[in-house]
Structure formats: structure tokens, C-alpha cells
Amino acid sequence: MALTYTLEAQEPAGAARAGRIVTAHGPVQTPAFMPVGTAGSVKTLTPDELLGTGADILLSNTYHLALRPGVETVRAMGGLHRFMGWQGTILTDSGGFQVMSMSPLRKITDEGVEFRSHLDGSRALLTPEEAIRIQDGLGTDIAMSLDELVESPSTAAEVSEAVDRTLLWAERGLAARQRLRDEGRGSMALFGINQGGTDPAERRRCFESLGAMPFDGFALGGLWVGEGKSLGLEMVAHDAAMFPVDRPRYLMGVGHPVDMVEAIDRGVDMFDCVLPTRNARRGTVFISTGRLVVKNAAYARDERPLDPDCDCYTCRRFSRAYLRHLFAAGELLGMRLASLHAIHHMIRLVRDARAAIVAGRYAAFRVSFLERFHSGETLVPALAG
Amino acid sequence: MALTYTLEAQEPAGAARAGRIVTAHGPVQTPAFMPVGTAGSVKTLTPDELLGTGADILLSNTYHLALRPGVETVRAMGGLHRFMGWQGTILTDSGGFQVMSMSPLRKITDEGVEFRSHLDGSRALLTPEEAIRIQDGLGTDIAMSLDELVESPSTAAEVSEAVDRTLLWAERGLAARQRLRDEGRGSMALFGINQGGTDPAERRRCFESLGAMPFDGFALGGLWVGEGKSLGLEMVAHDAAMFPVDRPRYLMGVGHPVDMVEAIDRGVDMFDCVLPTRNARRGTVFISTGRLVVKNAAYARDERPLDPDCDCYTCRRFSRAYLRHLFAAGELLGMRLASLHAIHHMIRLVRDARAAIVAGRYAAFRVSFLERFHSGETLVPALAG
């Protein structure tokens, strides 16, 4: 088995679940937050710092790595784990989302996605088979099937066509992995992605086929793309209810703390998002009581840490005043310290959620988390001296 | 005493010396390399990483901190040590060099240096007294006297005038510290700076007065400003021979490994330079066998560490191939890992030099260091796979 999933606890009053995934690179506790290492680096942080936050799984982007340094270079350097010095689990995306969002050209046919590199303009075709071969070449633990995502709103015909193509590509991806396995490669796990936009019937139709395929886990695709949070959460509840209990469920691209707590409540196991670290590099971090814009001049003499409740390195060692100064002066250390807090904060959130599920008190955890997050406590700047 | 200096060993055949400075923030082994934390941060690195390299003293820039976040903010936050989380010794410059090199306007009179902030264009006057008051406000351990630097070449009259003004300002700086002490402040050490350009007679004339003043140490000023290395080293030997043996000697702004080894040979105790870290942020590092431009495509599959002889975190954990990728992809982690190596390398160099002096074999150390540095060994890229 490329991956095992063990369900360890389920909230009696809801769908929240705690579990454990085991891959070739060790165990992953769920619910899990995956920091994003787009180009083989979670921006500004070392793999040892990530380990120190408690992270046990990272996401890396196939499209970026395939363009630079190239899959052959990563393979020659012993695979992505060795190349970037991360010995935990790695999940890679299929490359499809980046191709569709970053390429100056994209043409989608049943064959695949034709695109141009955003780096040098060279033309290439990403097929479902190629997506699998690249991810295998990178040495990922968990690969994602190439899917077609539609934006919101889309017409019913567009949604339906994307479902059909996603299913076609899912089968071809699995077949490509099987061929790799016949050659002694392709040992990675593979997740299928459910589509269907915000139409419950289409999502059901998609999963009726997808769920019958031998995927190691399933992702909720096409959500958080403009449909609004309450509709998004409805779709999460809808998909999670039909997904098998014995395989992990991954809500792609979602990482706002409130969204995560709500999606965990509806049965999701895995998350990834660049938002916490991207915000951090711009001087804004989530703390337990809200969103702190530490680069604001109002914090210039605030001696408190980013989050008085946090025990990350940044919060143990530095004041908001110092962080504010680093951002004002354009010092990279500011981005770095804020990013470290950001990852630590997200990992701690999923660990706290997990502990609450195991203890059978997730419903209460959710309420108190939301109350505290919206309290805004400590966000009002303190003036020293 | 604000500072004590103990001479621990002297090379029998030369002027190289090993010693120990003790300030309010602990001991500093000499010869010492001071990483530069311009704006209260050694760019990209945490204070704990600096401690991990063995650094025991940092330099910070008065001009930058006085403009941003301002001396009153640093003071309100408990001083620079507490603000930036560094508990070792801090030396600050007088602000004069930055005022003269960065200001869009500078007008030097006996009163001081009139300048405009490079940040907001506001006009201000830096006097020798103000330089002392600002450094005291920052909470430095070792302050520098305001001096006037002349570029090379300069006329004899310009050099002579700068010497006169430097001596005038030295006396006024000492008097300013005394007034602070009378108010229960000003506990910092203060170094005088010798000037005189490349004219040995002027440098001697300068030091005849400067050396009689109650400074805690002396700096060699006005060197490495275009006069050429052999002339610069002649001046170093000249100054060091007349400086008192019982006080530390600081060669400002010098930090090329070869220059440091040569200056130590001529009796210098302290160095600072932004070169190693500035180069590192641009993808070039000093290693024991020369200068490695790791961002070059030639290293794209080189599995060796930056320096196979180095035991820093970067060299223990990452390949040149990974570093090269990080620079090619514009990842900040590349700057950070290269900077860490750069500081580690410089600290290790002064520690090795110190051990050689203590063992009475500095002359041999110098020869073998230079041979190895110029060997270029391991700089030729290796191709893996």
C-alpha cells in the first residue's frame, strides 16, 4: 500500500474526524495543515523549522518544479525529499491549477492542457499521464490526479463537461500509475479530485464514478473559487457525506483558520493554503484572537509578542515592536519570523482540533475557537513607556 | 571600567595577537569578526543563529537606527540588545560614515556634519556630542567617536584638516560621554579613530594627540577607501606599531578573508564588513578554497555543500544544487542559507587565526591559509548522475 489511513476518532455529534495517514515518509496526523513549498521551499523557512512547528506533511507544486529546476534535475539529486532536505511526507499537486492560472495561454482539450511557461514562454502540453510521470519523477508520496476546474459562476454545460473530462483524466492517471508500477516505479499514493462546481447533483454524479476508482484518497475540487463561503461549506458537507470513511479527504487551497475549523466540522482531513505565509510576508498574521497587521505603525512600541498565547520561536523571542520595525525597514528577517509564526499557528490549530475530536468535544472547541477568533483581543496596540 | 582588554598571546615572529575584551555583555575573543546588523538585524538571520556561529559581538549602524525606528523607540523598548534579542556585545559606529556616504547633502564644519535623511529628506546636524548621545541611547557596549574620513586620493591639506577635525571631535566626544556619566549614564566604552590617510607622518601626528586621550580602544580609519591593498596594509602596520598594546585595535570596514589574515598578521584585533553577507545575498560566498558563485548554472547538479570543509548548518544540510535552485527561483531561503554560511565562515576564520596565535604558529597558518584560499579547489562544478 502506498498509503494507509486509520480513522482514530469521530465527533459523536458531527462529522469531524481524527485520523492518521502513513506514507513511505512516515505518519501524518489528521486533520492536517500542509504548508506550501511552491518551488521546493516553504518561503523563507528551513525544513528543520517546519519540523519544529510540528508539520509532518508539505505540499509542493509540480508546475513550478517541472519548469525550474526541472524534474530530471530533482530526480538526479535523489528526489524532492533529499533535494530540499525534508524527510516528512510530501504531497504534490497535478500542475493543472497552476497551468490554468499562471499560463499566458491555455487550451483545454480531452488530450490535456496546452500552455506556455510563465518563465520563458515555451509551449507544452500537460496530459493526465504526464502529470503522473512528473510527480513520480519528483518522488512525491501523494500525487494528485489532473482535473479540470471551473470557476464560479459557470454554466451547467461547462460544469458538466468539466466533470466528464475530470473523470476521463482520472482513469488515465490511474492507468499511467499502473504502467509505472509495472516498470517498478509509481509507488506513490494517488488522490482523485471531485468536481461539479456548486451543483450537488453534478458533484454526486462525479463521485459515483470517481469513488469507484482505486484512489488512495479524495479531494474536494472546484471550491473556494468565488462561490461564497456558505455555499462552499454546503458542498463540503455534501461531498464528505458521500466520500468513503476509510480514505482521507482533502479540501484544496483552503487555509483561513475559520474556514478550516468549519470544514473540519464537516468531515475534512487535509488542507493547504498559501494565504497564511503570503500574508505573513506582507506583515499580517493570524493570531488566536484575529488578524494582526503587525506592520502598522501603531505597534511601533508594543512589547507584546505577535500572539501572547503562542509558543512559537517568534512569539517567545520577539516583540511586535521589533517585527514592526523589521517590516518598516524592509528587513527579510521580518518576513521570516512572521512566516514561522504563521505556520506554527496553523499546525497548532489542527493539533488542537484533533485533540478536541479525540476527546469528543469538537462542537465546543469550534464555538470557543470562533468566539475567541472574533474577539479581537490584544489587537488594540499597547503603548509602552 | 566600560571595557577590559587582556592580551593573551602574541606571535613571536610578528605582530599577530590573541586577546579578550570584556564588556557589560560578556567576553569577546580577539581577533574578532563583527557581523553587521545595519538596521538592528544581521540581514536574514536570527540572533540565535548568530550565536550558533560563535559570534560574540555585532556591529550596528547608528545612522540607520537613529532614522528608523529612532533612538527614543529603541530606548523605550529597553535598548538595542533587548529590542533585537541579542545578548552579546554590540559595537555601534558613530553614524559619520553613513551620513557622509548616504546623504544626498553633506556639509562638514567644525560643528559637525549637516545632512539630509536618505529616507525622508529631512535636514539634521550630526555633532560629535550627538553621536555619543545617540549611541548611549541605543545602549551600545562600544561607541565610536565621530571622525572625518577623507577619500583616496586627497590633497595633503584635506588630509591634515580632517586630522585636526577628527582630534577636535574626539575630545568633544569624550567630554560628552563624561557629561553623560555625571548624569549616571554613558557607561559604554568609547573608541577613538586614527586618521591621516596614507601619509604616515599625518597618521603619526594624529595618534600623538589621540593616543593621549582616555579612549578604551582605537580604530584605524580612512583605509580601504581606494588606496590599494598594499598601501593599506602598510598603514595598518604603521598604526598598529604605535597603538598601545593594552587596548584593542579595530580596522573598520575590512572583511575580505585575505585582508583579515594580513591585517591580523600586522596586529589588528577587530574587523567588520558587510561584504560577506552582501555577497551571500547575491549568491556568492567565500569558502576555504576561494570564492564560490553558487548561483551559477554550472552548480545545478552539484551535490557537494558550499564548502566541503565547513560544518555550518547550510553545509551540513544542503547541496550547491539546492542553493543554486533557490537563487535561480528567487527564493529568500537561498539568501538566508548563504548568509548563515558566510557569517559562520568568517567567525571560524578568526577563531582558527586565534588558535594559531595562541599556539605560536600564526606565520605558518597565514601561509597555508593563503595557499588554500588561492587553490580554487572544489570550485570546478561536479556533475552528478
Side-chain angles (χ1 to χ4, degrees), chain B residues 195-358:
Chain B
Q195 290 290 353
T198 52
D199 180 346
E202 277 298 305
R203 296 192 77 88
R204 174 163 298 280
R205 180 174 78 85
C206 191
F207 200 71
E208 273 165 7
S209 297
L210 196 77
M213 299 181 198
F215 283 113
D216 303 290
F218 294 100
L220 298 89
L223 300 175
W224 268 253
V225 292
E227 76 279 9
K229 290 195 175 179
S230 71
L231 191 53
L233 286 171
E234 267 180 51
M235 295 304 110
V236 168
H238 173 271
D239 276 19
M242 63 185 176
F243 279 15
V245 294
D246 65 348
R247 271 167 276 181
R249 300 116 173 231
Y250 163 29
L251 179 56
M252 295 189 296
V254 172
H256 188 292
V258 170
D259 296 346
M260 277 173 49
V261 166
E262 294 292 8
I264 290 169
D265 191 49
R266 288 157 179 81
V268 172
D269 301 315
M270 301 165 72
F271 302 88
D272 79 283
C273 195
V274 295
L275 178 78
T277 40
R278 181 176 292 165
N279 280 349
R281 292 197 305 280
R282 294 170 180 172
T284 296
V285 289
F286 292 121
I287 66 172
S288 49
T289 53
R291 188 167 169 276
L292 179 77
V293 188
V294 70
K295 71 174 175 189
N296 279 354
Y299 297 109
R301 295 192 183 184
D302 194 326
E303 297 202 75
R304 293 171 298 183
L306 292 177
D307 188 343
D309 285 344
C310 181
D311 62 348
C312 80
Y313 174 72
T314 303
C315 289
R316 279 186 283 113
R317 290 282 275 122
F318 304 99
S319 64
R320 293 175 182 179
Y322 185 58
L323 270 287
R324 192 268 158 182
H325 165 66
L326 294 176
F327 279 104
E331 288 287 337
L332 299 179
L333 182 59
M335 292 190 182
R336 190 186 147 186
L337 294 176
S339 296
L340 186 61
H341 165 80
I343 298 288
H344 184 99
H345 185 75
M346 299 307 284
I347 301 291
R348 183 173 146 191
L349 174 55
V350 291
R351 290 291 185 275
D352 286 353
R354 188 180 202 280
I357 298 165
V358 168

Side-chain angles (χ1 to χ4, degrees), chain B residues 85-158:
Chain B
W86 171 255
Q87 292 313 316
T89 293
I90 295 176
L91 179 147
T92 46
D93 63 4
S94 68
F97 179 76
Q98 261 80 23
V99 159
M100 295 182 209
S101 60
M102 299 189 69
S103 167
L105 163 148
R106 58 173 203 187
K107 194 178 147 196
I108 303 173
T109 64
D110 281 352
E111 195 187 357
V113 190
E114 196 185 335
F115 68 101
R116 276 188 210 267
S117 157
H118 75 288
L119 296 178
D120 64 8
S122 63
R123 240 179 160 96
L125 180 72
L126 181 66
T127 64
E129 291 82 3
E130 186 64 10
I132 297 299
R133 282 193 294 264
I134 297 173
Q135 292 178 84
D136 183 59
L138 294 173
T140 192
D141 297 298
I142 305 177
M144 299 298 296
S145 185
L146 186 67
D147 65 329
E148 185 181 353
L149 169 80
V150 292
E151 280 165 13
S152 182
S154 294
T155 66
E158 285 167 341

Side-chain angles (χ1 to χ4, degrees), chain A residues 74-363:
Chain A
V74 174
R75 195 206 302 270
M77 295 298 97
L80 186 54
H81 295 82
R82 183 154 174 250
F83 185 56
M84 69 180 287
W86 170 255
Q87 292 313 314
T89 292
I90 295 177
L91 179 147
T92 46
D93 63 3
S94 69
F97 178 76
Q98 261 81 22
V99 157
M100 296 180 209
S101 60
M102 299 190 70
S103 167
L105 164 149
R106 59 174 203 185
K107 195 177 147 197
I108 304 172
T109 64
D110 282 352
E111 196 187 357
V113 190
E114 195 184 336
F115 68 100
R116 276 186 209 268
S117 158
H118 75 288
L119 296 180
D120 65 7
S122 63
R123 239 181 160 96
L125 180 72
L126 181 66
T127 63
E129 292 83 2
E130 187 63 11
I132 297 299
R133 282 193 296 264
I134 297 174
Q135 292 178 84
D136 184 59
L138 294 173
T140 193
D141 297 299
I142 305 176
M144 299 299 296
S145 186
L146 186 68
D147 64 329
E148 185 181 350
L149 169 80
V150 292
E151 280 165 14
S152 182
S154 294
T155 66
E158 286 167 338
V159 170
S160 177
E161 192 188 5
V163 164
D164 292 342
R165 194 165 278 140
T166 294
L167 291 170
L168 177 72
W169 289 355
E171 279 185 346
R172 282 167 51 192
L174 280 164
R177 182 178 65 163
Q178 190 52 54
R179 283 193 298 277
L180 285 172
R181 288 187 170 179
D182 295 343
E183 298 163 12
R185 295 162 62 186
S187 61
M188 66 210 181
L190 182 57
F191 281 19
I193 303 174
N194 200 42
Q195 290 291 352
T198 51
D199 179 347
E202 277 298 306
R203 297 193 77 89
R204 174 163 298 279
R205 180 175 79 85
C206 191
F207 199 71
E208 273 165 9
S209 297
L210 196 78
M213 298 181 198
F215 283 113
D216 304 290
F218 294 99
L220 298 88
L223 300 175
W224 268 253
V225 292
E227 76 278 9
K229 290 197 176 180
S230 71
L231 191 52
L233 285 171
E234 267 180 49
M235 296 303 111
V236 168
H238 172 271
D239 276 19
M242 63 184 175
F243 279 15
V245 294
D246 64 349
R247 270 167 278 182
R249 301 118 173 229
Y250 164 27
L251 179 57
M252 296 189 296
V254 172
H256 187 291
V258 170
D259 295 347
M260 278 174 47
V261 166
E262 294 292 9
I264 290 169
D265 190 50
R266 288 155 178 83
V268 171
D269 301 315
M270 300 165 73
F271 301 89
D272 78 284
C273 195
V274 295
L275 178 78
T277 40
R278 181 176 293 164
N279 281 349
R281 292 197 304 280
R282 295 170 181 173
T284 297
V285 290
F286 293 121
I287 65 173
S288 49
T289 52
R291 188 168 169 276
L292 178 76
V293 187
V294 70
K295 71 175 173 187
N296 279 354
Y299 298 109
R301 295 193 182 185
D302 193 327
E303 296 202 75
R304 292 171 299 182
L306 292 177
D307 188 343
D309 284 344
C310 180
D311 63 348
C312 79
Y313 174 72
T314 303
C315 290
R316 279 186 283 113
R317 290 284 273 121
F318 303 100
S319 64
R320 294 175 181 178
Y322 185 57
L323 270 287
R324 191 269 157 180
H325 164 67
L326 294 176
F327 280 104
E331 289 287 336
L332 299 179
L333 182 59
M335 293 190 181
R336 192 187 146 185
L337 294 176
S339 296
L340 186 60
H341 165 80
I343 298 290
H344 184 99
H345 185 75
M346 299 306 285
I347 301 293
R348 184 174 146 191
L349 173 55
V350 291
R351 291 289 185 276
D352 286 352
R354 188 181 202 278
I357 298 165
V358 168
R361 51 169 183 78
Y362 188 75

